[in-house]
Amino acid sequence: LCVLIGPADVALARDLATDGGFLVHTLAEGDVAATRDAWHAERLGGRVTAETWHATHLPFMDNLVSLLVVLGPTTVNAAELDRVLRPGGELVVRDGAAWRRTVKARPVAMDEWSQWRHGPDRNAVSRDSAVNVPRRVQWLFSSSVVLEAADMVTANGRAFIQDRDTLLARDAFNGLPLWSAKLFAAKELGIRKPPALIVARGERVFALVTNGKFHALDAASGAPVLEFADAGQPTTVMLLDDGKLVLADDASLRCYESATAKLLWHEKAANAHTIVAGGARIFYIEGDDRDGAKTGAIHARNAATGALAWRKEHIWACRSELASYGEDRIVFEVRRPAGWKEAWLNKDRRKEEDYQLAVIDARTGAEQQRLFGVGSSARHGEFCTAFWHKGQLLTETRTPKGFGIAVYNPGELAAPAEKFQANYAGDRGWGHCYPPVLTENFYINGQLHFTDIYQRTQTANPITRGACHILRAGYVPANGMLYTFPKHCVCFPMLNGNIALAPDAAPAPPESHPLERGPAFGTKIEFTIAPTDWPMFRRDEFRSA
């Protein structure tokens, strides 16, 4: 999105739209009719627009404009120019024959969400302290563009969305499309396939492209930059903090340098799942009870060399698909057994296996604790998620007043150090088909329900909810906003589509243009409706129906 302030410049706007790929909007002090006619003659309608503008403020949301060009003297002050410019956006000011260019810095309060469950530790906690209860829509585009089963990551002000065999890149702050690329049609594994097939960082996005080769793409254009030889067809992609890229397929685990595509090591691993990283190690499980396994073998490998640090078998590991690393520990989310009906009827076995989280020592693989009585805000209890936050372990639980949050100290996992109430008002405790997510300050679940982790207060603005998709995040908190996606639920009115929601804006500016009074202004008009008439929607101006 490019905004031009100053005299209407037909040629500049045309060049920015056609050669620069921008959507261009001109705010001019004088008449713009001739300018519009010139653009329409060139069939540029919709790509370039203009309006007469005299106000001292700009008609845009905060953090929206990608390129802001001031072509001459203006009454708009520097603070207002900065307000509408998005982080990473450019301000270009003409000063006589010279041009001055500045780039808006990204606030330190904003975080990214560069891969599934935020990072390689798979701890779904955003470090974004700018995210707050949404009060406005930053942008929205239709669910016909991207379906609910898609996966989204964001890096360097861009959002990357994998929807089936297509990778879409959009501006993360205004939602406008940047480019698209065709991807290899990944093997469908249904509920067992985690949405972990794209990662992004800086000016690179990594994906399996249409020729079946894994590539690093240029984040600005989508053009292939690097090919990762012999990468196979990965079902999991993970980017470590030091730049190592981990790819797992049905038979192996590979580790590359992401900047050069150089293969660092390659180890056999049969259908490795529940892959997490931390403490310079990579952890994964071999064995799934749905394939007949009675136990699961957890492996720990050195991230730099691939050398095996330890291997431990645990009976519950064949029933884990999600895990998170923190404080030299790994918390595994344990699902019901594949033959859960039989297990449920066996009361002794049920009592023994009625735990939802298991904690191991990441340094040795030894089991430390099984957590019983953990709650779930999901409708059918699909997710018993654990989060590492500020050195403590947080889980959902039950309190005398309903669902709540339990806080465990890492050294005392047998019982919570404390419990406090979470926000489920109006939602009957249902988070629907997606897990909660955490930010620096908030626990977020359900229909935009926010619980302040520090103040223990609850706030909700249920204008929409998270996306229906097993194993994915219903919400992605990043860039000071909360992203959510299409959903097929029709149980209450809601905003649908692909949406970026933002907190309260700065105080609203004054009315843009003065009121123009027409000849009928102030005239009293008598209007009555006969008892037998229904002349308008819901009958009358009161919508009384």
Side-chain angles (χ1 to χ4, degrees):
L1 174 62
C2 173
V3 173
L4 304 179
I5 301 175
D9 191 321
V10 173
L12 177 60
R14 178 208 310 121
D15 293 344
L16 285 166
T18 55
D19 299 335
F22 283 96
L23 186 70
V24 183
H25 187 65
T26 295
L27 302 177
E29 292 192 358
D31 183 66
V32 295
T35 302
R36 289 171 175 166
D37 291 343
W39 289 331
H40 282 301
E42 298 183 49
R43 298 184 178 274
L44 291 174
R47 291 293 302 275
V48 290
T49 54
E51 65 178 305
T52 301
W53 194 261
H54 300 290
T56 58
H57 66 278
L58 301 175
F60 304 105
M61 284 284 193
D62 298 359
N63 299 326
L64 195 76
V65 179
S66 310
L67 175 62
L68 187 56
V69 183
V70 180
L71 298 173
T74 178
T75 58
V76 181
N77 62 33
E80 178 66 1
L81 296 173
D82 184 74
R83 178 188 68 81
V84 303
L85 199 64
R86 71 162 177 80
E90 299 178 45
L91 172 64
V92 181
V93 179
R94 181 158 60 190
D95 187 4
W99 294 90
R100 290 184 286 106
R101 172 182 175 270
T102 56
V103 176
K104 182 173 178 176
R106 181 182 178 86
V108 295
M110 291 184 180
D111 191 14
E112 297 182 336
W113 194 279
S114 63
Q115 53 194 308
W116 181 55
R117 285 170 71 108
H118 185 262
D121 58 4
R122 301 311 195 209
N123 185 38
V125 179
S126 172
R127 293 183 291 272
D128 199 311
S129 59
V131 171
N132 210 320
V133 181
R135 299 299 181 192
R136 59 187 177 90
V137 176
Q138 181 80 357
W139 54 257
L140 180 151
F141 61 88
S142 167
S143 56
S144 64
V145 178
V146 174
L147 298 181
E148 66 186 61
D151 181 38
M152 173 193 150
V153 299
T154 175
N156 209 18
R158 303 181 183 97
F160 304 98
I161 307 168
Q162 180 181 2
D163 186 5
R164 294 156 295 180
D165 61 349
T166 302
L167 178 62
L168 301 174
R170 291 197 170 231
D171 189 299
F173 289 95
N174 57 46
L176 290 175
L178 303 176
W179 53 265
S180 66
K182 298 303 289 184
L183 299 179
F184 187 77
K187 179 171 60 177
E188 285 298 329
L189 300 176
I191 188 174
R192 298 167 66 180
K193 172 180 165 290
L197 296 178
I198 56 172
V199 297
R201 182 173 295 168
E203 290 301 305
R204 294 288 181 268
V205 57
F206 302 86
L208 186 67
V209 299
T210 187
N211 64 357
K213 303 293 185 180
F214 196 83
H215 277 75
L217 307 179
D218 181 86
S221 66
V225 177
L226 287 172
E227 179 182 322
F228 291 78
D230 302 319
Q233 296 177 12
T235 54
T236 298
V237 180
M238 176 186 289
L239 187 60
L240 305 188
D241 294 337
D242 62 3
K244 295 183 182 69
L245 186 71
V246 179
L247 306 178
D249 60 17
D250 293 343
S252 63
L253 211 67
R254 293 178 173 85
C255 185
Y256 295 84
E257 286 183 353
S258 63
T260 63
K262 177 184 176 182
L263 180 65
L264 297 176
W265 53 265
H266 172 209
E267 295 289 343
K268 292 182 179 179
N271 294 310
H273 61 90
T274 320
I275 303 172
V276 299
R281 288 178 176 174
I282 298 167
F283 309 89
Y284 61 93
I285 299 176
E286 287 183 329
D288 190 316
D289 70 336
R290 287 173 297 201
D291 297 326
K294 300 299 182 183
T295 63
I298 306 176
H299 298 69
R301 292 191 178 275
N302 184 289
T305 66
L308 186 66
W310 52 259
R311 178 186 181 277
K312 295 284 186 180
E313 289 199 15
H314 295 288
I315 190 171
W316 46 260
C318 64
R319 298 192 282 118
S320 178
E321 291 164 338
L322 305 171
S324 59
Y325 174 96
E327 303 300 315
D328 290 325
R329 294 165 176 82
I330 306 174
V331 182
F332 291 88
E333 301 170 28
V334 181
R335 58 170 168 78
R336 291 172 175 173
W340 68 270
K341 291 182 180 179
E342 177 186 348
W344 192 252
L345 292 174
N346 185 330
K347 293 183 178 180
D348 293 336
R349 182 179 173 187
R350 175 175 33 168
K351 184 176 180 180
E352 181 183 343
E353 296 189 349
D354 192 20
Y355 55 90
Q356 297 85 20
L357 299 171
V359 185
I360 69 166
D361 187 326
R363 295 163 295 190
T364 66
E367 181 180 310
Q368 289 191 330
Q369 191 70 47
R370 298 181 186 183
L371 302 186
F372 293 82
V374 178
S376 174
S377 62
R379 179 184 304 172
H380 309 297
E382 300 102 322
F383 311 101
C384 292
T385 310
F387 305 92
W388 294 102
H389 183 270
K390 300 293 186 181
Q392 293 178 306
L393 179 65
L394 273 63
T395 73
E396 295 184 298
T397 188
R398 293 185 179 275
T399 74
K401 295 182 179 180
F403 278 104
I405 298 172
V407 181
Y408 295 82
N409 292 322
E412 301 173 359
L413 295 171
E418 63 172 318
K419 294 182 180 181
F420 61 92
Q421 193 68 26
N423 192 351
Y424 297 87
D427 203 17
R428 293 185 291 169
W430 290 5
H432 299 276
C433 303
Y434 50 92
V437 69
L438 260 65
T439 69
E440 192 81 355
N441 300 317
F442 294 102
Y443 160 91
I444 307 168
N445 77 307
Q447 300 163 11
L448 287 180
H449 292 166
F450 279 63
T451 299
D452 190 305
I453 296 173
Y454 302 104
Q455 304 298 323
R456 310 293 202 249
T457 54
Q458 295 91 31
T459 312
N461 185 17
I463 54 175
T464 189
R465 66 172 188 81
C468 309
H469 194 312
I470 302 298
L471 294 185
R472 69 162 297 162
Y475 300 111
V476 170
N479 303 312
M481 295 177 286
L482 195 67
Y483 300 89
T484 187
F485 316 98
K487 61 279 294 179
H488 61 258
C489 177
V490 292
C491 58
F492 71 101
M494 70 184 87
L495 293 170
N496 203 353
N498 297 268
I499 315 167
L501 299 164
D504 274 332
E511 196 58 51
S512 301
H513 296 287
L515 178 69
E516 296 184 15
R517 297 183 176 182
F521 186 86
T523 304
K524 184 176 176 60
I525 301 174
E526 296 295 335
F527 179 73
T528 57
I529 299 176
T532 56
D533 288 345
W534 193 292
M536 67 182 77
F537 174 64
R538 293 178 67 94
R539 189 177 184 275
D540 52 39
E541 71 268 33
F542 306 110
R543 305 300 193 222
S544 67

